[in-house]
Amino acid sequence: MNSIKLAYRNIVKNGSYTVINVLGLTLAFTLCLLVFSVLSEEKSYDTSWSKANRIYRINTVELDKGIEGEINQVYANLGLELKNQFPEVEAAAAMFSREIFLNLGTDQTVEVRSIFMQKDAFNILDFKIIEGNPNILVAGKTNIMINREFRDKYFKGENVIGKLIKSSDPLLEESENVGYVIVAVFDEIPYNSTFRTPVITFSEVLNNKLSKNGDGYYQEQYIALKPNTDIAAFSQKANKWYKDFLSDSAVKNFSFRFQPLKEIYMNPVSHSDIYGNEKTTFIFQIIALLVLVISFINFINLYAVRTIKRIKSLNLHKILGASRYSLIKSLLLETIIIFLIAALISIFFYLLALPPLESFLNFKLYFTREIVGSILIYFILTVLLSGLIIGFYPAWIVSNIKSSEALKNKLSKVSNVEVWMKKSLIIFQFSVSLIVIVGLITVKSQLNLIQNTPKGLNTENLLNIKQLYLSNKSSTIKNELLRIPGVEKVSISAWRPNIGSGYLARTVDDKKNVGEKIRVSFIGGDADFTPLLDIKLIAGRNLTEKDYIGHPKPNPKFEGDEFLNALITESTAKRLGLSDLGIPIQGLDIIPVGIVADFHSESFHKPLSPTVILAKDFQEYGNILIKIKDGQENVVGKRITQTMYKHFPDKYFNFEWVDDLIANNYQKELKQAQIFTLSAFLALFISALGVTGLILQSVEQRTKEIGIRKVLGASIASISNLFGKEYVLMIIIAIVIASPIAWILANKWLEDFAFKTEVKLWFFGSAGFIVLIVTLITVNIQTIKAALVNPVDSLRDE
Amino acid sequence: MIKLEHIFKWYNVGGTKSFILKDINLEIKEGDFVSIMGPSGSGKSTLLNVIGMLDEPDEGNYFFMDEDVLNMKAKKRSQLFQSHIGYVFQSYHLIDELTVYENIETPLIYKNLSSSERKSIVSDLLDRFNIVGKKDLFPAQLSGGQQQVVGIARALAGSPKLLLADEPTGNLNSKQGEEIMELFKQLNEDGVTIIQVTHSEKNAEYGKSILNMLDGQIK
Ligand SMILES: Nc1ncnc2c1ncn2[C@@H]1O[C@H](COP(=O)(O)OP(=O)(O)OP(=O)(O)O)[C@@H](O)[C@H]1O
Ligand SMILES: [Mg+2]
């Protein structure tokens, strides 16, 4: 009781130190709690399935030189075939997400994420059916299961089993839009699953036999293995079996990888729509750790400062009979109290920060909220433990100092080490701030580069109606759209910016590097396509309507051996060793008639892919790209919609601004920029706190000196200088230490980009400048305050 | 009670030993009242510190109640000393963050006395030294003389067998000084052994014997 009172009094008496400590620790604790929540949420993905440890996705690993890579699909029915071949496979099913369009009555079409599953999926994942029976298939319609929430939202109070729902899939012909029948209602799939979905569509196994020629179409497939199956051995066996299964003439240039379901969220391979971001999480983690270390450093630094001031009184306690144990106990108690105060405040901040964090991350922390109670209990325990650890060493040292020296309040031997320690800790803090600021500058200048580099195509005011079935009305629609005032150009195409490098791809041998292959992407639009996108013609001629061929079909493939007239990008021409226009290129089955300037068909993360542009008359399927005149963006929307509904009253149209689609590519980086901005502020703030603490101390120690100097006529500025000088030196040392680390990390971060900014010298210069300014301001606030004190007051002390 | 044999204490100043205590031999019996006198810098405080084991000698033997202090485990030594000795310091050494009341109470807490026992002892002392009105003030709010009084009250709180007082009256007016000396005399008669350092001949007279120090030696 007595020691609590004492501790309390000390904490209050050293108010400014306490505030600095609590503030720094609170920030660090809050950040750690938040990061821990994100981590545990992400780690929890797909772990709650009863077979979670033995569910795998089958990925294809391409081995061709030049185009190695991994995709999250394999040839249809491979999983089933494996199940037939190997007793280890308990279940196998294709499962993949897609958008479906449900017409829920007049004018209410909803686009929902659904997961298509083969029946065996019930033996892989766990579902709780609360209504109906998914095992009774209704023929002639697509069977769907909806979840409880979806039922309650759209069919409140209705009996939904057997209910028919019309489909408004823009990609389907009216007659093909057969619609859905609800056969069951399931309880929510855990939110922390890549399979979370309101709707599941399913069907029997398709009758596609696995091809012996090593071709076919791709599907995302999962298997569940029997318990205790050695996955490495199984993987080897399965791959060997498949090689033998293929006919001798088949190309065997790929293998399979069995990716554990639990890892998919963080390593999505190809980006499906629910996935985490390892890099962002990692940056988060590092920053939380650094902030924690910095605030611990502050704590230890200030602790040392405060206790040295108190060594005398601690020793008096000893002389009056206190045991060393009781001294340590009371010192620790103070630490613990400060840690606990910080912990309690940070719990408050944490709970406050969860919702904004969720919207920042764009996913819900469901799992975290479920276990928030135990997180907080563990948190408090961890804080207590770290308080004990952090507080013990200094308490141990201080409680052991010899009495006679302590009474004189002089610690000549310790102080050199002490000063050196303190300085290196401050230098460490400065270095962290510098690294984070260089990180921020790097991210920002990369974003600038993305913004300001010409893309080679013009997407300004470009509206797209996402790929849809046009039932041969494309020319009519195009002409009607063109008649709307404000519409400048219209093109119907099989590709739009940002959908990938093309709508299909072909592989040819690389003549310059024997043994390697080049994958060439195909982009196709009507004759207005290149002018609409402002793609620059360098040589030859543009494509015209005369270059259209035959009658295009849905999902156009190459017709026979016909060669198509095509445009080719400059870099592609170079890579293919194109000598002249007009000469057919075998393997690509095209005749280049013009060369266009390179353009970024994808984000800056990807290198320019070899690209060919074809001209086709897309009568049945296509995107409708609409270039709108400047300033007319808000006016034309209604007319365009009217035109579209006139032709397809029941369809769902997906309007998208192409600029938005492109911006979406850099969501991740924009978020990281935000994280960096926040952390730069945090790091600066906390090291400013640290500097404040130390300055307070030196000012306190040197009050008398300041007083005497003032009596002798020193100006306020010269007194400020006295203190500021050593910090400038420390910042310079920090720059020397931090720059190489920052350089390496910045370049590491930039590795994600094929087109990237250089890490320039001024990044470091301005980071140093910012730290310097903040530090000098901090130093001066305190020293000027000290220098303004009337010398009589400070000299009367003691 | 106290037996010092060939006690030396020195500091290394610029490579050479500067002796502060030179071959001190001293015996003090239980019930003694010794006054130590001598010029400033002669080593009086140092000797007192050695006797109270706040400082260790560099050479020599020290027996306290027939136990060899210098070869004793630190823990046992501090138990032995802190339960038997009360200290009054030249520069008061009150605990800044404790009130007058709490300063006096502290040694009792470490003796594990119950709070009611502590309360009666402390109130007694506050009464005796006429500082009841100051009990909730902090040392910084007291004059030098008042702090000295509190220091003495604190030294007596634990009812020590040996009282070590380094210029206990240095900051007091002569009337206060006299009162303190009377008190010491009374205590001594009650059986408390006292060693005091003083500059005042008059106060030294209260002792049963006087030791004169010069340059680290007893004359
Ligand atoms: N840490 C030290 N290093 C060097 N010399 C010291 C140290 N501490 C004390 N001394 C010296 O020891 C000598 C004796 O000091 P001490 O405090 O015992 O003197 P004193 O007799 O009590 O003097 P006063 O009457 O002024 O209190 C002094 O000359 C002092 O300079
Ligand atoms: Mg002295």
Side-chain angles (χ1 to χ4, degrees):
Chain A
M1 196 53 227
N2 181 61
S3 38
I4 290 181
K5 185 179 67 187
L6 250 183
Y8 167 77
R9 213 178 275 162
N10 260 315
I11 288 169
V12 173
K13 188 180 163 206
N14 295 299
S16 36
Y17 292 117
T18 306
V19 169
I20 289 172
N21 268 331
V22 168
L23 218 63
L25 289 174
T26 302
L27 281 177
F29 287 160
T30 311
L31 207 61
C32 283
L33 269 176
L34 291 173
V35 170
F36 181 78
S37 301
V38 174
L39 275 185
S40 52
E41 187 74 31
E42 291 193 319
K43 283 262 179 305
S44 77
Y45 265 72
D46 285 315
T47 51
S48 58
W49 306 107
S50 60
K51 294 176 185 168
N53 290 321
R54 43 196 176 97
I55 303 174
Y56 298 88
R57 181 170 68 189
I58 317 174
N59 291 347
T60 302
V61 180
E62 294 183 80
L63 304 169
D64 271 330
K65 264 188 117 183
I67 54 173
E68 300 97 336
E70 183 168 355
I71 52 176
N72 63 352
Q73 305 171 321
V74 282
Y75 288 134
N77 284 339
L78 177 76
L80 287 177
E81 204 58 51
L82 289 177
K83 187 181 170 187
N84 292 337
Q85 294 297 325
F86 298 100
E88 293 97 315
V89 182
E90 200 173 279
M95 295 191 250
F96 49 87
S97 77
R98 58 175 186 188
E99 303 303 319
I100 61 172
F101 301 84
L102 301 177
N103 189 329
L104 301 171
T106 34
D107 280 353
Q108 199 193 7
T109 296
V110 288
E111 183 184 5
V112 281
R113 175 180 206 246
S114 78
I115 293 188
F116 170 86
M117 289 182 182
Q118 285 175 326
K119 265 302 181 53
D120 217 8
F122 287 99
N123 299 318
I124 298 177
L125 307 175
D126 318 84
F127 290 103
K128 215 172 116 204
I129 305 299
I130 53 177
E131 227 184 295
N133 184 351
N135 290 314
I136 305 167
L137 277 187
V138 179
K141 301 264 180 217
T142 308
N143 289 225
I144 64 172
M145 290 207 294
I146 60 176
N147 73 0
R148 184 201 296 271
E149 192 190 338
F150 194 81
R151 177 193 67 185
D152 293 347
K153 185 167 172 196
Y154 294 109
F155 311 107
K156 190 94 194 146
E158 284 178 56
N159 181 13
V160 291
I161 304 302
K163 191 175 173 65
L164 298 177
I165 302 176
K166 250 173 85 182
S167 159
S168 314
D169 191 333
L171 273 178
L172 293 181
E173 223 173 300
E174 223 55 45
S175 61
E176 287 173 320
N177 261 325
V178 284
Y180 304 93
V181 55
I182 301 175
V183 295
V185 178
F186 62 98
D187 217 351
E188 318 307 340
I189 289 175
Y191 184 87
N192 51 350
S193 166
T194 50
F195 290 118
R196 73 169 179 254
T197 178
V199 177
I200 293 172
T201 72
F202 51 95
S203 76
E204 286 297 355
V205 173
L206 299 169
N207 267 337
N208 292 33
K209 275 252 156 46
L210 186 63
S211 159
K212 276 189 177 288
N213 302 321
D215 56 18
Y217 70 91
Y218 285 110
Q219 237 177 18
E220 201 172 333
Q221 293 168 61
Y222 293 80
I223 54 171
L225 296 180
K226 295 233 168 79
N228 304 322
T229 307
D230 175 6
I231 182 63
F234 174 75
S235 170
Q236 210 167 19
K237 235 167 38 177
N239 270 301
K240 181 172 182 309
W241 167 81
Y242 183 71
K243 292 248 153 64
D244 295 342
F245 168 84
L246 288 178
S247 62
D248 293 339
S249 58
V251 204
K252 301 174 182 180
N253 53 352
F254 58 90
S255 66
F256 313 125
R257 182 169 86 91
F258 295 90
Q259 183 183 23
L261 171 62
K262 288 184 300 182
E263 289 172 14
I264 291 176
Y265 180 72
M266 282 315 254
N267 297 295
V269 180
S270 324
H271 284 188
S272 49
D273 33 9
I274 297 176
Y275 58 90
N277 190 303
E278 235 177 343
K279 208 163 199 164
T280 308
T281 311
F282 182 71
I283 293 174
F284 244 145
Q285 250 170 293
I286 292 292
I287 284 172
L289 200 69
L290 285 179
V291 169
L292 190 68
V293 169
I294 291 185
S295 57
F296 278 173
I297 287 177
N298 272 347
F299 184 85
I300 294 173
N301 254 344
L302 294 176
Y303 187 99
V305 169
R306 269 183 326 128
T307 351
I308 282 172
K309 265 176 63 194
R310 292 174 49 208
I311 277 181
K312 187 181 133 185
S313 78
L314 286 170
N315 264 279
L316 282 168
H317 279 281
K318 231 167 127 184
I319 290 167
L320 299 176
S323 62
R324 185 171 183 191
Y325 161 79
S326 74
L327 283 186
I328 293 180
K329 201 179 72 181
S330 68
L331 285 172
L332 272 183
L333 192 70
E334 255 178 75
T335 309
I336 300 273
I337 290 176
I338 289 180
F339 270 59
L340 272 184
I341 294 174
L344 293 179
I345 303 178
S346 62
I347 287 177
F348 174 74
F349 281 152
Y350 164 71
L351 295 175
L352 224 59
L354 271 184
L357 177 69
E358 281 175 327
S359 64
F360 173 79
L361 292 168
N362 223 349
F363 64 84
K364 295 220 170 64
L365 297 168
Y366 261 79
F367 178 68
T368 305
R369 286 177 188 282
E370 252 168 55
I371 60 164
V372 74
S374 32
I375 288 184
L376 293 182
I377 289 171
Y378 278 111
F379 167 67
I380 294 284
L381 290 178
T382 316
V383 165
L384 288 179
L385 190 70
S386 53
L388 283 177
I389 294 172
I390 299 278
F392 185 76
Y393 179 70
W396 175 258
I397 297 289
V398 163
S399 65
N400 200 24
I401 284 167
K402 275 218 332 232
S403 309
S404 62
E405 278 176 53
L407 288 182
K408 286 179 191 146
N409 230 349
K410 252 192 285 180
L411 288 166
S412 43
K413 278 177 222 154
V414 203
S415 59
N416 252 342
V417 182
E418 185 88 25
V419 167
W420 180 85
M421 275 276 283
K422 261 187 293 193
K423 283 196 174 162
S424 46
L425 291 175
I426 287 287
I427 290 173
F428 175 79
Q429 295 192 340
F430 284 150
S431 307
V432 170
S433 300
L434 286 168
I435 291 173
V436 174
I437 296 173
V438 170
L440 174 61
I441 298 176
T442 308
V443 175
K444 286 274 185 198
S445 49
Q446 175 65 20
L447 288 173
N448 266 344
L449 177 104
I450 292 167
Q451 183 103 110
N452 299 331
T453 309
K455 313 274 179 307
L457 38 79
N458 184 355
T459 53
E460 216 178 315
N461 293 336
L462 186 58
L463 186 70
N464 182 47
I465 304 173
K466 198 171 165 184
Q467 180 105 345
L468 74 166
Y469 177 70
L470 293 165
S471 54
N472 287 320
K473 294 185 192 163
S474 67
S475 333
T476 325
I477 291 172
K478 187 171 170 179
N479 286 329
E480 282 181 26
L481 288 174
L482 276 170
R483 248 178 275 139
I484 298 173
V487 170
E488 196 177 320
K489 286 176 191 140
V490 177
S491 168
I492 297 184
S493 70
W495 178 89
R496 58 142 173 82
N498 230 46
I499 202 171
S501 55
Y503 72 106
L504 55 89
R506 294 208 122 186
T507 320
V508 288
D509 289 329
D510 188 343
K511 286 184 200 117
K512 289 179 185 166
N513 300 297
V514 180
E516 293 193 12
K517 303 219 176 230
I518 302 174
R519 176 173 287 155
V520 181
S521 298
F522 284 71
I523 283 174
D526 58 23
D528 295 322
F529 182 74
T530 36
L532 178 132
L533 286 173
D534 267 348
I535 294 173
K536 213 175 107 202
L537 188 70
I538 296 177
R541 64 170 177 86
N542 249 330
L543 296 171
T544 66
E545 285 166 23
K546 291 195 186 100
D547 298 307
Y548 295 172
I549 39 92
H551 246 328
K553 292 184 177 142
N555 294 324
K557 292 218 165 144
F558 292 105
E559 281 87 6
D561 275 334
E562 244 178 300
F563 281 53
L564 304 171
N565 287 341
L567 295 173
I568 187 164
T569 63
E570 199 181 356
S571 61
T572 316
K574 244 180 232 149
R575 270 197 80 180
L576 295 177
L578 193 72
S579 50
D580 242 326
L581 292 173
I583 301 166
I585 302 176
Q586 293 293 336
L588 295 181
D589 302 352
I590 57 158
I591 303 169
V593 295
I595 295 179
V596 293
D598 283 322
F599 58 92
H600 289 271
S601 57
E602 291 178 283
S603 77
F604 276 40
H605 298 105
K606 307 249 173 76
L608 292 173
S609 35
T611 303
V612 158
I613 303 175
L614 298 179
K616 284 194 167 196
D617 185 12
F618 292 93
Q619 284 293 335
E620 294 188 327
Y621 290 91
N623 293 284
I624 306 178
L625 285 163
I626 306 167
K627 181 88 175 177
I628 293 162
K629 285 186 191 128
D630 239 3
Q632 304 286 304
E633 304 86 351
N634 300 321
V635 190
V636 294
K638 204 168 152 214
R639 296 282 307 270
I640 294 175
T641 320
Q642 278 171 354
T643 311
M644 293 309 293
Y645 275 116
K646 194 176 92 196
H647 292 284
F648 308 105
D650 281 337
K651 270 225 163 84
Y652 181 85
F653 303 109
N654 210 331
F655 293 95
E656 42 192 27
W657 289 102
V658 175
D659 275 342
D660 291 346
L661 296 173
I662 291 174
N664 271 340
N665 286 324
Y666 308 109
Q667 278 305 329
K668 191 178 81 183
E669 283 77 16
L670 280 170
K671 296 227 146 131
Q672 286 171 358
Q674 281 171 284
I675 297 179
F676 271 108
T677 313
L678 183 74
S679 352
F681 274 110
L682 273 183
L684 277 176
F685 180 68
I686 296 181
S687 46
L689 281 184
V691 170
T692 307
L694 287 187
I695 276 288
L696 273 178
Q697 183 215 359
S698 11
V699 165
E700 224 165 80
Q701 278 174 349
R702 296 164 76 174
T703 330
K704 216 172 239 169
E705 179 190 336
I706 295 173
I708 295 170
R709 277 178 193 270
K710 268 194 85 178
V711 171
L712 296 177
S715 68
I716 291 177
S718 73
I719 289 173
S720 265
N721 265 341
L722 211 65
F723 292 93
K725 255 194 308 209
E726 63 177 330
Y727 287 93
V728 174
L729 186 71
M730 284 193 257
I731 290 175
I732 291 171
I733 297 174
I735 291 176
V736 172
I737 295 172
S739 293
I741 301 172
W743 191 83
I744 291 170
L745 292 179
N747 278 303
K748 188 98 200 140
W749 184 85
L750 287 169
E751 265 175 19
D752 258 7
F753 289 91
F755 296 89
K756 54 193 162 202
T757 177
E758 255 175 82
V759 180
K760 298 191 194 81
L761 211 59
W762 67 263
F763 289 14
F764 304 98
S766 24
F769 185 71
I770 292 170
V771 172
L772 184 75
I773 291 296
V774 170
T775 307
L776 286 184
I777 290 175
T778 313
V779 168
N780 276 294
I781 288 175
Q782 298 305 328
T783 51
I784 289 176
K785 233 167 42 189
L788 284 176
V789 170
N790 185 346
V792 175
D793 293 335
S794 56
L795 290 178
R796 201 168 46 203
D797 250 16
E798 183 73 1
Chain B
M1 185 182 212
I2 290 167
K3 197 171 169 195
L4 299 176
E5 290 172 350
H6 308 294
I7 293 289
F8 286 84
K9 171 104 193 146
W10 64 78
Y11 286 105
N12 282 316
V13 180
T16 58
K17 281 181 189 172
S18 136
F19 284 89
I20 295 167
L21 297 180
K22 290 180 220 160
D23 197 19
I24 301 278
N25 293 287
L26 180 65
E27 195 169 349
I28 292 171
K29 297 235 156 49
E30 200 153 352
D32 264 355
F33 186 169
V34 179
S35 300
I36 303 176
M37 296 195 70
S40 200
S42 56
K44 305 180 297 289
S45 296
T46 309
L47 177 61
L48 213 60
N49 281 344
V50 167
I51 293 173
M53 262 297 141
L54 299 178
D55 224 347
E56 280 187 47
D58 293 302
E59 227 179 271
N61 291 316
Y62 178 15
F63 299 93
F64 183 76
M65 293 165 85
D66 295 328
E67 299 207 56
D68 184 352
V69 175
L70 299 178
N71 293 315
M72 202 182 271
K73 281 224 177 78
K75 200 169 171 188
K76 195 177 167 207
R77 185 198 294 164
S78 60
Q79 262 173 10
L80 181 68
F81 276 70
Q82 273 133 28
S83 58
H84 290 114
I85 301 183
Y87 301 88
V88 179
F89 299 100
Q90 188 171 356
S91 43
Y92 335 128
H93 289 332
L94 298 181
I95 300 172
D96 293 336
E97 47 270 18
L98 297 184
T99 62
V100 165
Y101 184 97
E102 289 159 348
N103 259 291
I104 300 173
E105 186 190 25
T106 305
L108 303 174
I109 293 173
Y110 295 130
K111 279 189 145 180
N112 290 324
L113 264 65
S114 76
S115 75
S116 58
E117 285 174 290
R118 297 202 302 257
K119 204 167 167 189
S120 77
I121 295 176
V122 177
S123 323
D124 229 35
L125 285 164
L126 289 171
D127 258 353
R128 190 148 130 202
F129 288 99
N130 208 8
I131 44 175
V132 180
K134 308 262 182 261
K135 74 176 170 52
D136 291 325
L137 298 183
F138 287 93
Q141 298 165 305
L142 300 177
S143 75
Q146 289 165 333
Q147 292 189 45
Q148 187 68 286
V149 169
V150 176
I152 293 167
R154 185 180 66 183
L156 297 178
S159 14
K161 278 210 157 94
L162 172 64
L163 187 66
L164 300 176
D166 196 346
E167 295 189 40
T169 57
N171 287 294
L172 306 181
N173 60 36
S174 57
K175 186 170 164 280
Q176 282 174 318
E178 240 165 73
E179 279 168 18
I180 296 290
M181 283 302 116
E182 286 298 332
L183 175 74
F184 276 21
K185 207 172 147 193
Q186 187 62 46
L187 285 168
N188 182 245
E189 278 161 18
D190 295 346
V192 179
T193 313
I194 298 176
I195 305 175
Q196 68 162 346
V197 170
T198 181
H199 282 292
S200 141
E201 298 273 355
K202 201 173 143 213
N203 288 347
E205 295 295 332
Y206 282 89
K208 290 177 180 167
S209 58
I210 297 178
L211 284 178
N212 274 301
M213 285 197 75
L214 189 65
D215 279 343
Q217 285 175 310
I218 297 175
K219 283 274 149 176

